[in-house]
Every structure is written in structure tokens, then in C-alpha cells.
Amino acid sequence: MNPLLVTVAVPVPLYRGFDYLLPASLAAGARPGVRVRVPFGRRKLCGVIVRAPFERVDDSQDYRPLDAVLDDAPLLGAELLALCEWAAEYYRHPLGEVIAAALPGSLKHGDAAVLHRPQRWQLTPDGQQALATLPGRNRAQRSALEALQAGARGAGEWPVAPAIRARLVELGWVASVADDARQPAAVSDPLPLTAAQQLALHELEGGEQGFRVSLLEGVTGSGKTELYLRRLQASLDAGRQALVLVPEISLTPQLAQRLRERLGDGVLSFHSGMSEGEREQAWLAAREGTTPVIVGTRSAIFVPFARLGLIVVDEEHDASYKQQDGFRYSARDLAVVRAQRLKAELILGSATPSLESLHNAQAGRYRHVRLSERIHAQAPPRIDLLDVRKQTLAHGLAPPLLSALDRCLEAGDQALLFINRRGYAPILLCHACGWQAACAHCDARLTVHRGRSRLICHHCGAQQPLPRGCPSCGAAELMPLGQGTERIEQALLNRYPRKRIERLDSDRLGRRHELQRLLDDVRARRVDVLVGTQILAKGHDFPNLSLVGIVSADQALYGADFRAIERMGQLVTQVAGRAGRAGQRGEVLLQTHEPDHPLLRLLVERGYAGLSAALLNERREARLPPFSHLALLRAEARDAAPPMHFLAAARELLLPLRGLQVMEPIPSGMERRAGFVRAQLLVQAEQRSALQSALAAIVPRLTELARGVRWSIDVDPADLF
DNA sequence: AGCACGCCGACT
DNA sequence: GTCGGCGTGCTC
């Protein structure tokens, strides 16, 4: 018999498969999904077997034997492996890298997959006694013991420094006990449903079981989460697990906590803010079936489950579900694929659904479940356009907005100001000679950050100290032009010295618990005005806002990207939705220089539903997604010519293929970025399959053409820059 | 992506 | 005379 070979996916950016000789001694355990250690060039890599062993037939090729089989049982089950293969095909990304993206760090590098038995820390009788007699100076020990007594349960929920814990164990005051019987602790009762919720729940539950997608379109405050909870409970009751995706790390603790209160403490999180160890344990627990629910961000779509029955994608319109570099997958779209393959239920929830999902719902592929009433029966916030033309702006704020703020704060209410720009000002200008602070590596201006006293490029991260005078003409005074969150915050601090003004943007999200503390302060009404970027639009709940000011959304109106207005509508609607308290209508002011823009008027008069309907019509006319399918071929290099030449050659390869419309290669929106000159080629197809086969056909040739050019394929690009 | 091999400038 | 610059070539 001929020797056996196995195909191994190795984590390298190569589109070819690599076959290895399978030593007879290792043949028993070699199955798809099992990790192996293989020699690769001069190094050793951890790869995954992706095909059942097969007999060697050709003698022309030399093979190297694999070193070791790392798993007794496949680490990637058939379902997850198939999902990875599907994603690699669809997104035209090397399978080895896709699998690497699906594995938590430590497992990716070949560490043994060991699920620690859940353990729980417990006060011993000695510990009980010690707590009573412990001298007051042992503060750390005391508070740790008190936390345990107060009912901290899982190991992760007992906040104690490892050194203190070790000491307490040594003293015999605490002990760990196995916690297999994860009794659902402190499970609270479901909230009563409104009539509208009941109706919606009925629609979600009804009809054919098995694979189904529901687009749950519910305005802010309509109680989508309670419906998720009902479906999650039903899934758990049926003995199946569930996956809940959220767009942002900062939303996981909040939601995970709420799920734990209702579904028990088996609910685990999965996101990049966790340590590798924590992520690995959550991943393994889901795979074993020992955790009923995972709440996570984009990458959690690759968590394996023993019996997944339900996926919820919250805020499904959110662009963060699309990975923007490397393996450019959409977790929301993969959720559809995964649910279909598993015959599972999928709920896509949003107050402002993406045009793609709306289109799918209208085409009958998704159930369209609407929740149009807010629970507390407030009127939905009305958005008023504030024409700022010819008005004197103070740091970008027009007098009517300022007087609305005055009234709001006098009444002791809270206000929120939204501006989608970090920093103090996006431009630093010399009034004497016209010089502007520009990035040395990008075609971009540097943003003034007053607090840190620096100029920062928001595209490549380059920084420099804030210059004292003009570097070009020496004039003493430089003018910050335009506004960011920092500047609005400053202006409000000056105007309202006795009020508490807080800023919320990614610059402030450094420390782990800071966001949580800030949000708590806002909810407890210790903050009067909150100034922030789109983080404010992402589902955080602020129950006491009576005024929302949107400093500007005009940029989207001039934006070159065909999705700019859709995004603006989502952002504005989401931010506006934060306004209004029980029984009181919120006020929303949207500053604009284009008060007569038809799409802006549509948004204000007919809401997101009106805007999205009009945008869908435009897309249909223009044959843009979701009425066609796009792929973007990007290229970059140190010099300007190679990317264009590469793309021109790629275009030649594509032109003879059928069912495609191939544009001319063009320089990217920001041509130079982080020292690279970038260009792109847009390919459009009516049929997804035509796009797929075209890309499949040209990838091997691209590899040959790419001399000195870095390139990537973006299937279903989120933006065309 | 790594990692090596391979030929041309400023240093112990 | 060497250390090292990154160009390009390969990885079963």
C-alpha cells in the first residue's frame, strides 16, 4: 500500500494546500479538525488537518512527514471546519488564516486544549471564623473574604488578586470546590410583555421550526432585549445552546449581566478584551456544551458549539460586524450561513436595519417582525433640523442649540451632544500663511488633541507635539479649525462651569472599567451633559435624556461612499433614540448647512423607514447592493505605479469573464496612507456566483503578478475606500 | 507571513 | 576587511 498523505491548513497567507506524509504510528488519530505540528520551510507550525488521509499516488512530489498529532479528538468539529471552509471560499482568503482566526490564541499555537472544570471558591468554617476575628489592618484579605461571603460564585466573579487568593488558600480559609452542577443562581422572572411584544414574540416563535431568519425591527426602547431573552430561554429549554453577537466590546458586560440574571450564570462572554486564557476556556466550554450561552463580538461567530440552536445578532446594521483588514468577513452574514447549515434560528435585531436585511425581508427570505411602540408609550423623539447657515457658531454650536441646552440644564435634565469626530479640531491652520498641519505618511490632515497637547493622525497614528508657532512662516498664532468632541467638551465646560460635562469617545476608553463607571454616572444623573462620538449610538441606554444635539451630519451628504447616507440615517436615528424619558418626549436638534437636502428631509419627516425605502429604490436603480454584488481588489506599495499596474493587469484577467462589470482601477479615497500608496479595482456582478468564480479564477494569477505589491480581496466591501 | 539567501554602503 | 540594508523566492 502506498504511504498516506494528509492535507494541512497552515496559518500562512498562501492559497495552496500543503500535504504531508502521515507516519503509520500517527495514522490512528489523524482526522479532519485535528491539529498537527508540521515542518514548514525552516520553521515548525501548528496546522489543522482538513481532509481525511488519502493514498499517495504521484511520485513526482517530495513530501515531508508531519511531526506530531496534537489532539486526541478533532479540535474543530465538522460544523466549524465546514464554516471555515465556506468562509475561505466566499471571502477568498487562505484557509489556514481563516482557521487561525477561528481559534483562540493559545490553541492556535498548539497548546493542549484543556477545559478546566468549573470551580467555585468557598469560605471554609475556619474562614468564617477568621472573618469575625481578622484584624482591621488586613484590609485586602478582609474584603476578599467579605466578597465571597456576599455570594461571589464563579472563579471569575471573585475579584481578588492572585497573591491574596493564594494566601487565603494557604491559611485554609477558602477552598475551591468543583461546580459541575451549575445551578442557575438568582434567576429572575421574565418581564411582562406589552401587547406589541407579545405579538412580535408570537411571530418569532411561530411557523416552521428549524432554519429561519427573523429581522426584528424595533425602535429604541421597544424592548427587543426582552424578546431575545424569551427566545433564548426557549432555546435553552429545548436543550440547545445560543450565541448572542453584539457590535462592541463595551456592550458585552451589560448584556451578559442581564442574561445571567435571567438565564443563570452559565452565560459566558467572548471578545478580544478578555485574556487569552479566559477566551480559550469560554471557547472550550461552548464546544463541550457546558455553557448554554455565549455573548460576544464579531470573532465569536467562530466559537464552536455542541448543539447550537439560536443565534441573535443585535444591532445587525452595525459596520463593526465586518472585519476591516486581513480576513474581511462579516460576522452577521456568516451567522446566516451558520444558522442555515445548523438548521438553527437566527434573529437579526435593529432599530435601523441595514438595507441588505430589509431587502431580504421584503424578498421573503427573512420574516419581518416589527416592534414600533416604545414600552413606556412615550412618543418617539422628533428630529428638528436646525439651519445653521448664517448663524454665528460658538465652537460649532448654533444659538438655538445653546439655548435649548440652557433650558435643559436649568430644568435639571440631561443632554447629549453627538459629534462624530475625536480630538479638539480636525485642522490646524496658520492664519498668516495658510499652512496646515499634515501627516507625513498619509494624505490627511493632523487632528489637534489639546488634552494631550499633540497633533495626531487618525489614519496611521503618527503623532507630534503641538507646534507653538507656524513651522512654515513663524507666525505665533495657529487656528484650530472645525470641531471634535474635545472642543465641544471644552466649550461646554466654559459655558456651564458648575455642571458636570463628560466626554465619551475611543480616546477615553483606555481603562477597562472606566466606560462602565461613566455610564453608571450618567444613569445616576451625576452627569449633566455627555459629549461623544458614535459610541453613543451603540445601544447604551440613557434613561434620563431630554435633549439630544447632533452637531453635524453633513459630511455624509457629500460623502463619496454609496453607503454614507444609509449610515448617517442609522447613526442619527440611533442617537436620537436615546432622547426621551418615561412619559416625556425628547427633543432632538440636528444642525445642518443643508436643511433642504431631500434625503435629510425624508429622514426627519418619515423617519428611518422612509429614508431606507428611498435609498433602496436608489440602489435598485443604480444596481448597487443589495441589488448586485461587489468585490474590491485593493493594492498598495511604496511607490505609486506598481499598484495601478497590478490592478490594470488584474482587470485584463477579469474582462473576458462573464457576468461581471469591471471598473477602471482608481487611486483609493485616501491615496497615501501610513506610507503606502493605495489603489483599488471595483468588480460588480448581478449574480454572486459569477463574482465567486471570477475571483476564484484570478487569485492564482494575482499571486504571480504581485511583485512588490501588497494586495487583498474584499468581498461585500463595507466601504469603498 | 516568516525566514533565508544575496549582493552593495558605513563602521569595530 | 565585516555588519547589515531590504529585494526576491520559497514554504508539502
Side-chain angles (χ1 to χ4, degrees), chain A residues 15 87-93 629-634 647 650-651 653-655 657-662 681-685 687-703 711-717:
Chain A
Y15 286 86
E89 286 266 302
Y90 184 80
Y91 292 106
R92 288 290 138 203
H93 200 77
H629 306 284
L630 298 180
L632 199 59
L633 184 56
R634 303 168 198 267
L647 293 178
R651 183 164 189 269
L653 295 176
L654 288 165
L655 280 176
L657 304 178
R658 300 173 65 93
L660 299 181
Q661 190 161 357
V662 189
L681 176 68
L682 187 63
V683 189
Q684 185 182 39
Q687 299 300 324
R688 194 158 260 164
S689 54
L691 197 57
Q692 281 306 308
S693 56
L695 294 175
I698 67 163
V699 160
R701 305 290 313 279
L702 293 181
T703 314
W711 62 277
S712 66
I713 289 178
D714 190 350
V715 177
D716 304 333

Side-chain angles (χ1 to χ4, degrees), chain A residues 349-402:
Chain A
S350 177
T352 53
S354 63
L355 297 187
E356 279 77 6
S357 295
L358 281 172
H359 177 61
N360 278 325
Q362 284 163 16
R365 286 188 284 273
Y366 300 170
R367 305 176 179 195
H368 199 165
V369 181
R370 292 183 186 80
L371 259 182
S372 46
E373 262 171 46
R374 292 175 132 193
I375 287 191
H376 299 294
Q378 315 106 305
R382 195 189 61 237
I383 301 173
D384 288 315
L385 289 185
L386 173 50
D387 182 359
V388 296
R389 289 175 302 182
K390 298 186 198 149
Q391 301 225 34
T392 314
L393 302 179
H395 297 286
L397 305 176
L401 177 55
L402 288 170

Side-chain angles (χ1 to χ4, degrees), chain A residues 60 113 130 411 452 512 525 631:
Chain A
S60 53
R452 281 181 275 177
R512 234 190 186 195
R525 311 189 66 158

Side-chain angles (χ1 to χ4, degrees), chain A residues 422-423 448-456 458 463-466 486 503 505-508:
Chain A
R422 297 180 289 127
V448 181
H449 283 249
R450 259 258 192 89
R452 281 181 275 177
S453 212
R454 300 189 81 77
L455 288 168
I456 302 178
H458 284 184
Q463 300 193 7
Q464 52 181 272
L466 209 52
E486 227 182 277
R503 173 165 59 87
D505 54 34
S506 57
D507 292 329
R508 272 213 61 181

Side-chain angles (χ1 to χ4, degrees), chain A residues 220 374 378-383 573 575-580 585-588:
Chain A
T220 316
R374 292 175 132 193
Q378 315 106 305
R382 195 189 61 237
I383 301 173
T573 307
V575 175
R578 314 286 144 212
R585 184 178 206 148
E587 185 178 6
V588 183

